[in-house]
Amino acid sequence: MLLGTEKTGIGGEPLPGQNLKPKFSVFPKGVGSDAPSWVAFDKQVLSFDAYFEEEVHQRREETYRMRQCKIYFYLEDDTIQVVEPEVKNSGIPQGTIIRRHRIPLPAPNDDQFFTVDHFNLSKDIVFYSKIYRIVNCDEFTRNFLRKLGVRINPSDTVPPDAYLSTRKKMEEMQPLRPYERIDTLKQFLEHNRNVLRFYCFWDDTTPFGDSRELFLYYYLADDTVEILEVIPANSGRDTTPVFLHRGKLPKSSPQNVLQPGQTTARTVLNVFGPMGHGGRYILDNLKTGAVYEEFYKDCDLTIGAAINVWGRKVILCNCDEFTKNYYKTKYGIENFTPVQYKALQPPKAKKEIPPYNGFGSEEDTLCSCMALLPKPPQRDFKKFMEKDRNGLESNVLRFVAKLDTDNPIDKERKFIVSFFLSDDTICVFEPQERNSGMIGGKFLERSRVKKPGQQLFKSELSEYFRPEDLFVGARVNFNGFLFILVDADEYVFNYMERNANEFPMSDISVITSKLRRIGETKSREIKQHFEANDPAGTSHMPYEIFRNLLVDIYEKQLTEHEIMTIGRYFSVREKPETDLGFLTAIAQEQLKKNSFENFSKLSDVFVYNDKDRNGWLSLQKTITICKAFRIPLADDFLRVLLEKHTENGDQVNYMSLVAGLNWRENPIPAQKTTPIKYDPDWSGQATANAVNNVNVLLLLDDLFGIQK
């Protein structure tokens, strides 16, 4: 029967004529350390310097090459790698010659592999029929071979390569006719995109010319100059701003204009022979026949200097900040006084606007004075878009007003004053009352109302009533009718308090500072007044009594609107109890809009975190789980909803919570909310959010720091 070539005989002894491949690197198993080789010799490599001779055919300059290389022997697995270091401009593909692997010995021992015993200095070694001569090694390799008991041969040298020696001599040889090297790369890299700018002036006041204003740009990257012209409006010139294209600017132009080819980078000398065919030339190293031409440099450009731009005298008058910093740093120049080159412009005549003539509005008459073709006055479109009615936001301030008169009949009349924020117009309406003898209806058409006491026919525009001029307690004059604003709707107070920076009568910080400043000397008297009107000591006082006290104490130094702002800020308002069914309906509506249906997994997570299996979880743990599931509810709304399901301190009944949120199985009909809405038929009735009681203790604490 046919057996494998590597199968041994009885007892592991090789059969007659059988050559077995060694399975170990150097030592048999059981000798040395017990650690495997890839652990004992990890990252340990023997490095040898070697060379091999390569024949070169069909070349006259060389017949062979000496190619130096590195031989790496990896101790962990006896693999060998041969690498040739790359030489610049060698023209030979260099790098890895033999990739890393186990290399077999030359025939007839090709069934065995190279080991560390086959390496030594001054020794030839054959890899795949190519002879490598080992000449040297590093210090680690020497020490390792000595520890193995190897007698290291003396180091050898690499034979000189005739072609490389000749080539090295040629590189070191100085040319008989060297070319000049003009290095401009350094200047370009240092000053690329750095440009000096000067404001220039060219006086061309000939019979058919005038003065020209120019911009001179000096490019530091290549010492070139570009000049642009500032063309004023309606000058009659072509709109071509380039006065001088970018290039080097000679100093002696145009008297000594050189011919093309007269200036060259290099000059030559005629050695012998006729001109043209048969002549011999050499490079002129001394530049005896060179023609020099001077160009403007950055050192020649200073404020006040006159430069020659191809026969035109251009004066440098000023420069920009970058140019000033450049000259300060490089040349130490500190004086940058500009040169005055423009004639002083006469002062513009003040445009006198004729007075209003009575035709149309004042803005219309003003537009007829601005242009030959009058245009209608432009309205503030941005303000109109911002302050126009948008949904429930009406942007209309409505006040209750009464006539300031001695007529007993007119005193009882009540008016609604509406101020439209979109265009600052005012409309006055009188509600109808039965048996009053007044028809009622529209009292003043919607329009802008001028403030009283202004001249009619004048050049300036008249002043109109602004929103900050209207407040509760204000006396206003609308076209000769005196009104007192006695009340306003809830929207007015809310709007003014939201925009307190525009309405000082609703700015609580300004009002409290005023109270503190006025009542600083009589704080004890103020305290006694409030104590006398609060015998029960509840620190709560009805608004009417509170209002009369402030009027008596501050002697009418506060307006009615300021007193109402204080009362609203320190009011005692009962918080309405929110129904759980109402909150659950809103939550289901939000979850339905966001398509949240992951209620089964939410319930499973609640049960998993309930270690006691009693159906209760802490409030903080419940909030964390809800945020982990990204329930689309606001944080404040979620906390209020969880508090409704909280009992026994901070324990939340998560089963009832999930059942209430599950809009699939337990849907609740949507409920309508009742926000503050705009009532167009409002006729001055008291609002539902009126102030009934005021917390006096908070007011005194804020003013004087009184705790009791």
mmCIF file of all heavy atoms in Angstrom, residues 369-409:
data_model
loop_
_atom_site.group_PDB
_atom_site.id
_atom_site.type_symbol
_atom_site.label_atom_id
_atom_site.label_comp_id
_atom_site.label_asym_id
_atom_site.label_seq_id
_atom_site.Cartn_x
_atom_site.Cartn_y
_atom_site.Cartn_z
ATOM 1 N N CYS A 369 -42.130 117.163 -2.889
ATOM 2 C CA CYS A 369 -40.937 118.020 -2.875
ATOM 3 C C CYS A 369 -39.650 117.236 -3.090
ATOM 4 O O CYS A 369 -38.575 117.840 -3.183
ATOM 5 C CB CYS A 369 -40.845 118.769 -1.546
ATOM 6 S SG CYS A 369 -42.280 119.784 -1.166
ATOM 7 N N MET A 370 -39.716 115.909 -3.146
ATOM 8 C CA MET A 370 -38.522 115.096 -3.254
ATOM 9 C C MET A 370 -38.153 114.736 -4.679
ATOM 10 O O MET A 370 -37.003 114.416 -4.958
ATOM 11 C CB MET A 370 -38.706 113.794 -2.440
ATOM 12 C CG MET A 370 -38.854 114.018 -0.951
ATOM 13 S SD MET A 370 -37.394 114.795 -0.247
ATOM 14 C CE MET A 370 -37.885 114.954 1.465
ATOM 15 N N ALA A 371 -39.069 114.755 -5.595
ATOM 16 C CA ALA A 371 -38.781 114.358 -6.967
ATOM 17 C C ALA A 371 -39.712 115.093 -7.911
ATOM 18 O O ALA A 371 -40.754 115.644 -7.505
ATOM 19 C CB ALA A 371 -38.946 112.834 -7.127
ATOM 20 N N LEU A 372 -39.284 115.125 -9.190
ATOM 21 C CA LEU A 372 -40.135 115.770 -10.189
ATOM 22 C C LEU A 372 -41.419 114.994 -10.386
ATOM 23 O O LEU A 372 -42.498 115.578 -10.576
ATOM 24 C CB LEU A 372 -39.390 115.885 -11.522
ATOM 25 C CG LEU A 372 -38.302 116.968 -11.601
ATOM 26 C CD1 LEU A 372 -37.591 116.888 -12.926
ATOM 27 C CD2 LEU A 372 -38.906 118.355 -11.414
ATOM 28 N N LEU A 373 -41.304 113.668 -10.389
ATOM 29 C CA LEU A 373 -42.485 112.820 -10.507
ATOM 30 C C LEU A 373 -42.855 112.347 -9.113
ATOM 31 O O LEU A 373 -42.209 111.461 -8.559
ATOM 32 C CB LEU A 373 -42.200 111.625 -11.426
ATOM 33 C CG LEU A 373 -41.816 111.977 -12.872
ATOM 34 C CD1 LEU A 373 -41.490 110.708 -13.644
ATOM 35 C CD2 LEU A 373 -42.949 112.731 -13.563
ATOM 36 N N PRO A 374 -43.852 112.950 -8.491
ATOM 37 C CA PRO A 374 -44.184 112.587 -7.104
ATOM 38 C C PRO A 374 -44.633 111.139 -6.997
ATOM 39 O O PRO A 374 -45.322 110.609 -7.865
ATOM 40 C CB PRO A 374 -45.315 113.560 -6.741
ATOM 41 C CG PRO A 374 -45.256 114.635 -7.756
ATOM 42 C CD PRO A 374 -44.714 114.022 -9.012
ATOM 43 N N LYS A 375 -44.196 110.510 -5.926
ATOM 44 C CA LYS A 375 -44.598 109.148 -5.623
ATOM 45 C C LYS A 375 -45.416 109.149 -4.344
ATOM 46 O O LYS A 375 -45.179 109.967 -3.446
ATOM 47 C CB LYS A 375 -43.367 108.242 -5.455
ATOM 48 C CG LYS A 375 -42.543 108.102 -6.716
ATOM 49 C CD LYS A 375 -41.357 107.185 -6.471
ATOM 50 C CE LYS A 375 -40.522 107.039 -7.746
ATOM 51 N NZ LYS A 375 -39.354 106.144 -7.537
ATOM 52 N N PRO A 376 -46.355 108.237 -4.227
ATOM 53 C CA PRO A 376 -47.157 108.198 -2.998
ATOM 54 C C PRO A 376 -46.290 107.792 -1.810
ATOM 55 O O PRO A 376 -45.310 107.061 -1.952
ATOM 56 C CB PRO A 376 -48.228 107.145 -3.298
ATOM 57 C CG PRO A 376 -47.652 106.305 -4.389
ATOM 58 C CD PRO A 376 -46.796 107.224 -5.202
ATOM 59 N N PRO A 377 -46.612 108.270 -0.626
ATOM 60 C CA PRO A 377 -45.796 107.902 0.559
ATOM 61 C C PRO A 377 -45.858 106.407 0.826
ATOM 62 O O PRO A 377 -46.905 105.770 0.702
ATOM 63 C CB PRO A 377 -46.437 108.715 1.690
ATOM 64 C CG PRO A 377 -47.815 109.033 1.213
ATOM 65 C CD PRO A 377 -47.747 109.146 -0.277
ATOM 66 N N GLN A 378 -44.689 105.867 1.193
ATOM 67 C CA GLN A 378 -44.576 104.436 1.448
ATOM 68 C C GLN A 378 -44.932 104.141 2.900
ATOM 69 O O GLN A 378 -44.438 104.795 3.824
ATOM 70 C CB GLN A 378 -43.145 103.952 1.150
ATOM 71 C CG GLN A 378 -42.702 104.152 -0.279
ATOM 72 C CD GLN A 378 -43.466 103.267 -1.245
ATOM 73 O OE1 GLN A 378 -43.886 102.165 -0.899
ATOM 74 N NE2 GLN A 378 -43.662 103.754 -2.463
ATOM 75 N N ARG A 379 -45.765 103.151 3.108
ATOM 76 C CA ARG A 379 -46.106 102.730 4.453
ATOM 77 C C ARG A 379 -45.056 101.766 4.986
ATOM 78 O O ARG A 379 -44.313 101.150 4.219
ATOM 79 C CB ARG A 379 -47.477 102.073 4.476
ATOM 80 C CG ARG A 379 -47.544 100.771 3.722
ATOM 81 C CD ARG A 379 -48.955 100.248 3.589
ATOM 82 N NE ARG A 379 -49.584 100.055 4.882
ATOM 83 C CZ ARG A 379 -50.822 99.590 5.025
ATOM 84 N NH1 ARG A 379 -51.550 99.298 3.971
ATOM 85 N NH2 ARG A 379 -51.332 99.417 6.239
ATOM 86 N N ASP A 380 -44.983 101.680 6.295
ATOM 87 C CA ASP A 380 -44.022 100.773 6.945
ATOM 88 C C ASP A 380 -44.553 99.345 6.807
ATOM 89 O O ASP A 380 -45.335 98.866 7.639
ATOM 90 C CB ASP A 380 -43.847 101.162 8.409
ATOM 91 C CG ASP A 380 -42.658 100.459 9.051
ATOM 92 O OD1 ASP A 380 -42.127 99.519 8.417
ATOM 93 O OD2 ASP A 380 -42.283 100.842 10.166
ATOM 94 N N PHE A 381 -44.124 98.675 5.708
ATOM 95 C CA PHE A 381 -44.669 97.352 5.417
ATOM 96 C C PHE A 381 -44.189 96.317 6.432
ATOM 97 O O PHE A 381 -44.927 95.402 6.797
ATOM 98 C CB PHE A 381 -44.260 96.932 4.001
ATOM 99 C CG PHE A 381 -44.922 95.676 3.534
ATOM 100 C CD1 PHE A 381 -46.259 95.670 3.170
ATOM 101 C CD2 PHE A 381 -44.222 94.482 3.469
ATOM 102 C CE1 PHE A 381 -46.878 94.510 2.752
ATOM 103 C CE2 PHE A 381 -44.830 93.315 3.052
ATOM 104 C CZ PHE A 381 -46.166 93.340 2.683
ATOM 105 N N LYS A 382 -42.945 96.453 6.898
ATOM 106 C CA LYS A 382 -42.422 95.502 7.886
ATOM 107 C C LYS A 382 -43.224 95.570 9.184
ATOM 108 O O LYS A 382 -43.599 94.545 9.769
ATOM 109 C CB LYS A 382 -40.949 95.802 8.157
ATOM 110 C CG LYS A 382 -40.309 94.854 9.147
ATOM 111 C CD LYS A 382 -38.846 95.197 9.374
ATOM 112 C CE LYS A 382 -38.231 94.258 10.403
ATOM 113 N NZ LYS A 382 -36.805 94.592 10.668
ATOM 114 N N LYS A 383 -43.506 96.783 9.633
ATOM 115 C CA LYS A 383 -44.296 96.940 10.851
ATOM 116 C C LYS A 383 -45.709 96.407 10.644
ATOM 117 O O LYS A 383 -46.298 95.800 11.545
ATOM 118 C CB LYS A 383 -44.337 98.421 11.238
ATOM 119 C CG LYS A 383 -45.117 98.711 12.496
ATOM 120 C CD LYS A 383 -45.089 100.189 12.810
ATOM 121 C CE LYS A 383 -45.893 100.494 14.068
ATOM 122 N NZ LYS A 383 -45.889 101.935 14.391
ATOM 123 N N PHE A 384 -46.263 96.627 9.449
ATOM 124 C CA PHE A 384 -47.601 96.131 9.165
ATOM 125 C C PHE A 384 -47.650 94.608 9.232
ATOM 126 O O PHE A 384 -48.600 94.026 9.772
ATOM 127 C CB PHE A 384 -48.043 96.627 7.784
ATOM 128 C CG PHE A 384 -49.354 96.060 7.325
ATOM 129 C CD1 PHE A 384 -50.545 96.534 7.833
ATOM 130 C CD2 PHE A 384 -49.396 95.033 6.388
ATOM 131 C CE1 PHE A 384 -51.758 96.010 7.421
ATOM 132 C CE2 PHE A 384 -50.587 94.501 5.975
ATOM 133 C CZ PHE A 384 -51.784 94.994 6.494
ATOM 134 N N MET A 385 -46.612 93.919 8.690
ATOM 135 C CA MET A 385 -46.603 92.458 8.711
ATOM 136 C C MET A 385 -46.396 91.919 10.124
ATOM 137 O O MET A 385 -46.927 90.870 10.482
ATOM 138 C CB MET A 385 -45.510 91.924 7.790
ATOM 139 C CG MET A 385 -45.744 92.223 6.312
ATOM 140 S SD MET A 385 -47.266 91.505 5.698
ATOM 141 C CE MET A 385 -46.914 89.769 5.849
ATOM 142 N N GLU A 386 -45.639 92.631 10.954
ATOM 143 C CA GLU A 386 -45.369 92.153 12.317
ATOM 144 C C GLU A 386 -46.544 92.404 13.254
ATOM 145 O O GLU A 386 -46.831 91.585 14.128
ATOM 146 C CB GLU A 386 -44.111 92.830 12.870
ATOM 147 C CG GLU A 386 -42.824 92.388 12.182
ATOM 148 C CD GLU A 386 -41.620 93.120 12.733
ATOM 149 O OE1 GLU A 386 -41.830 94.066 13.538
ATOM 150 O OE2 GLU A 386 -40.490 92.774 12.358
ATOM 151 N N LYS A 387 -47.229 93.547 13.096
ATOM 152 C CA LYS A 387 -48.259 93.944 14.045
ATOM 153 C C LYS A 387 -49.676 93.766 13.515
ATOM 154 O O LYS A 387 -50.623 94.201 14.174
ATOM 155 C CB LYS A 387 -48.058 95.419 14.443
ATOM 156 C CG LYS A 387 -46.724 95.702 15.104
ATOM 157 C CD LYS A 387 -46.579 94.963 16.422
ATOM 158 C CE LYS A 387 -45.275 95.315 17.117
ATOM 159 N NZ LYS A 387 -45.126 94.614 18.411
ATOM 160 N N ASP A 388 -49.845 93.182 12.345
ATOM 161 C CA ASP A 388 -51.186 92.941 11.850
ATOM 162 C C ASP A 388 -51.805 91.761 12.613
ATOM 163 O O ASP A 388 -51.094 90.959 13.230
ATOM 164 C CB ASP A 388 -51.157 92.657 10.348
ATOM 165 C CG ASP A 388 -52.547 92.706 9.739
ATOM 166 O OD1 ASP A 388 -53.417 93.352 10.340
ATOM 167 O OD2 ASP A 388 -52.744 92.106 8.662
ATOM 168 N N ARG A 389 -53.104 91.657 12.534
ATOM 169 C CA ARG A 389 -53.784 90.599 13.270
ATOM 170 C C ARG A 389 -53.349 89.235 12.747
ATOM 171 O O ARG A 389 -53.331 88.987 11.536
ATOM 172 C CB ARG A 389 -55.300 90.748 13.123
ATOM 173 C CG ARG A 389 -56.068 89.682 13.876
ATOM 174 C CD ARG A 389 -57.560 89.937 13.836
ATOM 175 N NE ARG A 389 -58.273 88.892 14.566
ATOM 176 C CZ ARG A 389 -59.589 88.862 14.739
ATOM 177 N NH1 ARG A 389 -60.342 89.821 14.231
ATOM 178 N NH2 ARG A 389 -60.150 87.884 15.418
ATOM 179 N N ASN A 390 -52.994 88.346 13.697
ATOM 180 C CA ASN A 390 -52.520 87.017 13.343
ATOM 181 C C ASN A 390 -53.149 86.013 14.297
ATOM 182 O O ASN A 390 -52.710 85.854 15.437
ATOM 183 C CB ASN A 390 -50.992 86.954 13.413
ATOM 184 C CG ASN A 390 -50.446 85.619 12.967
ATOM 185 O OD1 ASN A 390 -51.162 84.820 12.379
ATOM 186 N ND2 ASN A 390 -49.189 85.376 13.269
ATOM 187 N N GLY A 391 -54.205 85.334 13.863
ATOM 188 C CA GLY A 391 -54.879 84.367 14.711
ATOM 189 C C GLY A 391 -55.548 85.050 15.883
ATOM 190 O O GLY A 391 -56.360 85.977 15.728
ATOM 191 N N LEU A 392 -55.239 84.573 17.115
ATOM 192 C CA LEU A 392 -55.801 85.174 18.321
ATOM 193 C C LEU A 392 -55.063 86.429 18.751
ATOM 194 O O LEU A 392 -55.490 87.095 19.700
ATOM 195 C CB LEU A 392 -55.782 84.145 19.461
ATOM 196 C CG LEU A 392 -56.632 82.885 19.239
ATOM 197 C CD1 LEU A 392 -56.434 81.929 20.392
ATOM 198 C CD2 LEU A 392 -58.095 83.243 19.087
ATOM 199 N N GLU A 393 -53.950 86.747 18.083
ATOM 200 C CA GLU A 393 -53.182 87.941 18.417
ATOM 201 C C GLU A 393 -53.743 89.096 17.591
ATOM 202 O O GLU A 393 -53.465 89.234 16.396
ATOM 203 C CB GLU A 393 -51.701 87.717 18.101
ATOM 204 C CG GLU A 393 -50.782 88.745 18.707
ATOM 205 C CD GLU A 393 -50.640 88.588 20.211
ATOM 206 O OE1 GLU A 393 -50.944 87.487 20.724
ATOM 207 O OE2 GLU A 393 -50.219 89.556 20.862
ATOM 208 N N SER A 394 -54.567 89.949 18.234
ATOM 209 C CA SER A 394 -55.259 91.004 17.489
ATOM 210 C C SER A 394 -54.389 92.220 17.244
ATOM 211 O O SER A 394 -54.601 92.943 16.264
ATOM 212 C CB SER A 394 -56.514 91.428 18.258
ATOM 213 O OG SER A 394 -56.157 92.005 19.505
ATOM 214 N N ASN A 395 -53.405 92.499 18.134
ATOM 215 C CA ASN A 395 -52.560 93.686 18.036
ATOM 216 C C ASN A 395 -53.392 94.957 17.997
ATOM 217 O O ASN A 395 -53.091 95.907 17.264
ATOM 218 C CB ASN A 395 -51.653 93.606 16.807
ATOM 219 C CG ASN A 395 -50.544 92.600 16.977
ATOM 220 O OD1 ASN A 395 -49.884 92.543 18.014
ATOM 221 N ND2 ASN A 395 -50.338 91.766 15.969
ATOM 222 N N VAL A 396 -54.449 94.982 18.774
ATOM 223 C CA VAL A 396 -55.304 96.162 18.924
ATOM 224 C C VAL A 396 -55.435 96.438 20.419
ATOM 225 O O VAL A 396 -55.854 95.564 21.195
ATOM 226 C CB VAL A 396 -56.692 95.952 18.286
ATOM 227 C CG1 VAL A 396 -57.558 97.188 18.495
ATOM 228 C CG2 VAL A 396 -56.564 95.631 16.812
ATOM 229 N N LEU A 397 -55.059 97.660 20.845
ATOM 230 C CA LEU A 397 -55.173 98.075 22.240
ATOM 231 C C LEU A 397 -56.494 98.823 22.405
ATOM 232 O O LEU A 397 -56.710 99.858 21.757
ATOM 233 C CB LEU A 397 -53.988 98.968 22.636
ATOM 234 C CG LEU A 397 -52.593 98.410 22.359
ATOM 235 C CD1 LEU A 397 -51.533 99.383 22.836
ATOM 236 C CD2 LEU A 397 -52.405 97.051 23.020
ATOM 237 N N ARG A 398 -57.370 98.317 23.270
ATOM 238 C CA ARG A 398 -58.698 98.910 23.445
ATOM 239 C C ARG A 398 -58.857 99.402 24.889
ATOM 240 O O ARG A 398 -58.574 98.663 25.847
ATOM 241 C CB ARG A 398 -59.787 97.898 23.105
ATOM 242 C CG ARG A 398 -59.787 97.509 21.639
ATOM 243 C CD ARG A 398 -60.928 96.594 21.323
ATOM 244 N NE ARG A 398 -60.843 95.348 22.067
ATOM 245 C CZ ARG A 398 -61.781 94.405 22.030
ATOM 246 N NH1 ARG A 398 -62.860 94.588 21.310
ATOM 247 N NH2 ARG A 398 -61.639 93.291 22.728
ATOM 248 N N PHE A 399 -59.296 100.647 24.984
ATOM 249 C CA PHE A 399 -59.465 101.305 26.276
ATOM 250 C C PHE A 399 -60.907 101.777 26.401
ATOM 251 O O PHE A 399 -61.588 102.074 25.397
ATOM 252 C CB PHE A 399 -58.525 102.506 26.418
ATOM 253 C CG PHE A 399 -57.068 102.156 26.334
ATOM 254 C CD1 PHE A 399 -56.420 102.085 25.111
ATOM 255 C CD2 PHE A 399 -56.339 101.911 27.487
ATOM 256 C CE1 PHE A 399 -55.084 101.774 25.032
ATOM 257 C CE2 PHE A 399 -54.995 101.602 27.413
ATOM 258 C CZ PHE A 399 -54.363 101.524 26.184
ATOM 259 N N VAL A 400 -61.357 101.886 27.648
ATOM 260 C CA VAL A 400 -62.637 102.524 27.973
ATOM 261 C C VAL A 400 -62.356 103.981 28.307
ATOM 262 O O VAL A 400 -61.496 104.280 29.145
ATOM 263 C CB VAL A 400 -63.329 101.818 29.151
ATOM 264 C CG1 VAL A 400 -64.667 102.478 29.468
ATOM 265 C CG2 VAL A 400 -63.523 100.353 28.846
ATOM 266 N N ALA A 401 -63.050 104.899 27.646
ATOM 267 C CA ALA A 401 -62.796 106.331 27.814
ATOM 268 C C ALA A 401 -64.094 107.051 28.127
ATOM 269 O O ALA A 401 -65.195 106.612 27.767
ATOM 270 C CB ALA A 401 -62.137 106.902 26.564
ATOM 271 N N LYS A 402 -63.924 108.176 28.817
ATOM 272 C CA LYS A 402 -65.028 109.079 29.093
ATOM 273 C C LYS A 402 -64.593 110.492 28.751
ATOM 274 O O LYS A 402 -63.402 110.816 28.806
ATOM 275 C CB LYS A 402 -65.456 108.986 30.563
ATOM 276 C CG LYS A 402 -66.144 107.676 30.921
ATOM 277 C CD LYS A 402 -66.679 107.706 32.340
ATOM 278 C CE LYS A 402 -67.434 106.413 32.644
ATOM 279 N NZ LYS A 402 -68.020 106.422 34.020
ATOM 280 N N LEU A 403 -65.622 111.347 28.433
ATOM 281 C CA LEU A 403 -65.322 112.723 28.082
ATOM 282 C C LEU A 403 -64.977 113.517 29.333
ATOM 283 O O LEU A 403 -65.636 113.391 30.379
ATOM 284 C CB LEU A 403 -66.518 113.357 27.381
ATOM 285 C CG LEU A 403 -66.773 112.911 25.936
ATOM 286 C CD1 LEU A 403 -68.082 113.484 25.427
ATOM 287 C CD2 LEU A 403 -65.627 113.337 25.036
ATOM 288 N N ASP A 404 -63.916 114.338 29.219
ATOM 289 C CA ASP A 404 -63.496 115.224 30.308
ATOM 290 C C ASP A 404 -64.235 116.554 30.120
ATOM 291 O O ASP A 404 -63.735 117.480 29.466
ATOM 292 C CB ASP A 404 -61.979 115.410 30.281
ATOM 293 C CG ASP A 404 -61.493 116.184 31.496
ATOM 294 O OD1 ASP A 404 -62.307 116.436 32.407
ATOM 295 O OD2 ASP A 404 -60.289 116.544 31.515
ATOM 296 N N THR A 405 -65.423 116.650 30.670
ATOM 297 C CA THR A 405 -66.280 117.824 30.470
ATOM 298 C C THR A 405 -67.117 118.044 31.722
ATOM 299 O O THR A 405 -67.250 117.153 32.586
ATOM 300 C CB THR A 405 -67.192 117.619 29.246
ATOM 301 O OG1 THR A 405 -68.023 118.763 29.089
ATOM 302 C CG2 THR A 405 -68.033 116.367 29.392
ATOM 303 N N ASP A 406 -67.696 119.255 31.790
ATOM 304 C CA ASP A 406 -68.582 119.601 32.900
ATOM 305 C C ASP A 406 -70.043 119.355 32.565
ATOM 306 O O ASP A 406 -70.914 119.519 33.434
ATOM 307 C CB ASP A 406 -68.387 121.076 33.287
ATOM 308 C CG ASP A 406 -66.979 121.340 33.799
ATOM 309 O OD1 ASP A 406 -66.375 120.391 34.342
ATOM 310 O OD2 ASP A 406 -66.485 122.476 33.649
ATOM 311 N N ASN A 407 -70.325 118.983 31.332
ATOM 312 C CA ASN A 407 -71.694 118.720 30.926
ATOM 313 C C ASN A 407 -72.159 117.420 31.581
ATOM 314 O O ASN A 407 -71.558 116.357 31.362
ATOM 315 C CB ASN A 407 -71.771 118.613 29.406
ATOM 316 C CG ASN A 407 -73.205 118.580 28.897
ATOM 317 O OD1 ASN A 407 -74.150 118.372 29.661
ATOM 318 N ND2 ASN A 407 -73.369 118.765 27.595
ATOM 319 N N PRO A 408 -73.195 117.438 32.383
ATOM 320 C CA PRO A 408 -73.618 116.204 33.076
ATOM 321 C C PRO A 408 -74.104 115.127 32.129
ATOM 322 O O PRO A 408 -73.990 113.932 32.443
ATOM 323 C CB PRO A 408 -74.739 116.694 33.996
ATOM 324 C CG PRO A 408 -75.218 117.972 33.403
ATOM 325 C CD PRO A 408 -74.034 118.616 32.740
ATOM 326 N N ILE A 409 -74.590 115.505 30.964
ATOM 327 C CA ILE A 409 -75.051 114.498 30.013
ATOM 328 C C ILE A 409 -73.869 113.789 29.373
ATOM 329 O O ILE A 409 -73.842 112.555 29.246
ATOM 330 C CB ILE A 409 -75.956 115.157 28.949
ATOM 331 C CG1 ILE A 409 -77.198 115.758 29.612
ATOM 332 C CG2 ILE A 409 -76.356 114.145 27.887
ATOM 333 C CD1 ILE A 409 -78.117 116.494 28.651
#
